[in-house]
Amino acid sequence: MGRIGRNDPCWCGSGKKYKKCHIGEPPPSSGARKTEQAPVDAVVKGRVSPMRDVPQHIVRPSYAVSGTPSGPRAHSCIKTPEEIERMRHAGRTARLVLDTVLAAVRPGITTDSLDVIAHEKAIELGAYPSPLNYHGFPKSLCTSVNEVVCHGIPDDRMLKTGDVINCDVTVFIGGMHGDCSETVFVGKPDPQTIKLVEITYECMMRGIDAVKPGKTLNEIGKAIAKIAHKSGFSIVRDFAGHGIGSQFHQDPQIVHYPDIRQRQKVETGMTFTIEPMINIGTHRCTIWPDDWTAVTTDRKRSAQFEHTILVQASGNELLTGGEGDPWFKRQLAQGW
Ligand code: MF3
Ligand code: CO
Ligand code: CO
């Protein structure tokens, strides 16, 4: 990998020329080693289309107009039977939207087109696409390509063969949010990317298995670390899973690495997400100047899966579970 040229796009992903942006500064990961630069094929910010409208008949969350969630912050994610029914509906709706988006992933499609699909499918199902205007997020879907860890903003970048993309869907319906994501391949993936995606999925599933009434939340991070570290991959620390319900993000925080402060006990009736982000290289993240897009500091690839789960005495229910295997397994079964 050669040195970054003055007229090359800046490593920070701003889309500006290096000479107009971080001239003289190496990418943060490279420290003193001036020879290590962002890969030439790093994702750069594209053009973001105007915010889309949501028809008046769709019930909106508190932040839809102001951008800021309001109302009392819920400190418990334990649900009543009636709330559980509404959570099931929100989870199923999020899954339907995610499946529709994933079916459209192919080389040549823009992430903006995927956003249109998510936006329209949510509305068709009577739901508000939760990301839209959440703390000002400008789109209805998060699309995180290659080294983008999470919160990628859909834009006019076309997906290309060899890319890997996480699509993260959240919907608000019946007063509740449902949140899920999957990472899929665009065309034929390379072996290291296959390994990353397989391990990340296993991290999520083993993390979910570790959720048992009476055990602490720390069991989740411990289970994930066992899988991730045996493969030499790292676990992102800057973003966590979360309680979910009438609020998009609420207590408790679900960290994906071992942390003895995660002493809270799991109780039946809780609904929260597990959404590990696993990286090939460093666990560290850098945020683009758009204040949302998180990329790995070394620009190596990252993957993520997410489910919203309900804790029950009889076992955990995947509120955002689909039929059978995740999409990437189906892709591999097709000989990709
Ligand atoms: N869906 C993401 C999560 O899993 C949150 C996206 S926040 C947004 O928590 F504003 F970027 F949409
Ligand atoms: Co989430
Ligand atoms: Co999500």
Side-chain angles (χ1 to χ4, degrees):
M1 217 175 304
R3 251 186 87 78
I4 191 165
R6 289 172 55 79
N7 288 315
D8 289 341
C10 188
W11 50 259
C12 76
S14 63
K16 290 187 219 157
K17 288 181 178 174
Y18 180 51
K19 69 177 179 196
K20 289 259 158 101
C21 199
H22 285 87
I23 185 75
E25 290 176 47
S29 63
S30 61
R33 289 180 297 134
K34 288 250 157 73
T35 49
E36 192 188 309
Q37 300 292 347
V40 283
D41 60 350
V43 177
V44 294
K45 191 167 180 65
R47 208 176 291 272
V48 178
S49 62
M51 255 195 191
R52 295 194 163 77
D53 287 334
V54 174
Q56 277 312 319
H57 70 273
I58 301 286
V59 177
R60 288 144 214 271
S62 62
Y63 55 82
V65 175
S66 65
T68 309
S70 65
R73 190 175 159 87
H75 289 289
S76 164
C77 64
I78 300 173
K79 304 292 185 291
T80 65
E82 184 272 333
E83 288 170 327
I84 287 172
E85 273 317 307
R86 288 191 283 130
M87 284 303 295
R88 286 197 176 109
H89 187 221
R92 269 197 303 271
T93 307
R95 165 51 53 183
L96 284 173
V97 174
L98 180 59
D99 283 345
T100 309
V101 170
L102 295 176
V105 170
R106 60 173 183 272
I109 195 169
T110 65
T111 49
D112 188 60
S113 306
L114 296 176
D115 177 70
V116 174
I117 291 167
H119 185 86
E120 286 178 351
K121 188 71 188 177
I123 289 167
E124 179 194 316
L125 296 172
Y128 180 92
S130 306
L132 194 63
N133 208 28
Y134 183 68
H135 293 289
F137 191 82
K139 293 284 151 194
S140 300
L141 173 73
C142 295
T143 51
S144 301
V145 175
N146 298 345
E147 72 270 22
V148 179
V149 173
C150 63
H151 301 165
I153 300 173
D155 63 20
D156 66 352
R157 182 188 185 279
M158 271 194 246
L159 297 180
K160 51 179 194 284
T161 298
D163 282 348
V164 64
I165 180 173
N166 174 277
C167 296
D168 191 334
V169 165
T170 314
V171 296
F172 180 74
I173 186 164
M176 295 295 186
H177 295 271
D179 190 4
C180 54
S181 83
E182 288 195 21
T183 299
V184 290
F185 307 122
V186 184
K188 200 175 159 55
D190 65 85
Q192 201 185 29
T193 299
I194 296 177
K195 176 106 190 280
L196 173 70
V197 174
E198 281 179 333
I199 292 293
T200 306
Y201 181 70
E202 206 188 330
C203 283
M204 176 185 69
M205 293 311 282
R206 295 291 82 79
I208 293 171
D209 291 344
V211 176
K212 296 205 173 83
K215 300 268 184 201
T216 65
L217 293 176
N218 194 26
E219 294 303 316
I220 301 168
K222 283 174 22 190
I224 292 171
K226 252 188 220 159
I227 315 287
H229 293 156
K230 80 164 191 246
S231 311
F233 295 143
S234 65
I235 306 169
V236 169
R237 304 171 76 94
D238 292 356
F239 302 94
H242 48 93
I244 184 167
S246 58
Q247 289 164 19
F248 193 163
H249 293 120
Q250 60 161 87
D251 289 340
Q253 260 208 10
I254 311 289
V255 307
H256 302 111
Y257 52 90
D259 181 345
I260 53 161
R261 288 169 296 184
Q262 292 285 88
R263 283 185 226 100
Q264 188 176 341
K265 293 251 172 72
V266 173
E267 294 176 63
T268 57
M270 283 182 160
T271 55
F272 55 82
T273 74
I274 298 192
E275 49 181 303
M277 286 140 275
I278 306 297
N279 299 349
I280 288 176
T282 180
H283 71 275
R284 289 183 192 285
C285 301
T286 302
I287 308 288
W288 279 3
D290 65 15
D291 282 341
W292 281 105
T293 312
V295 296
T296 56
T297 302
D298 61 8
R299 306 302 192 271
K300 289 186 181 156
R301 288 182 168 190
S302 179
Q304 179 178 28
F305 287 85
E306 173 174 26
H307 271 310
T308 298
I309 68 165
L310 163 67
V311 181
Q312 290 199 304
S314 53
N316 303 318
E317 195 174 313
L318 303 184
L319 297 178
T320 48
E323 308 290 317
D325 283 336
W327 281 76
F328 86 96
K329 287 204 175 173
R330 287 179 244 172
Q331 291 179 316
L332 291 176
Q334 279 168 29
W336 284 28

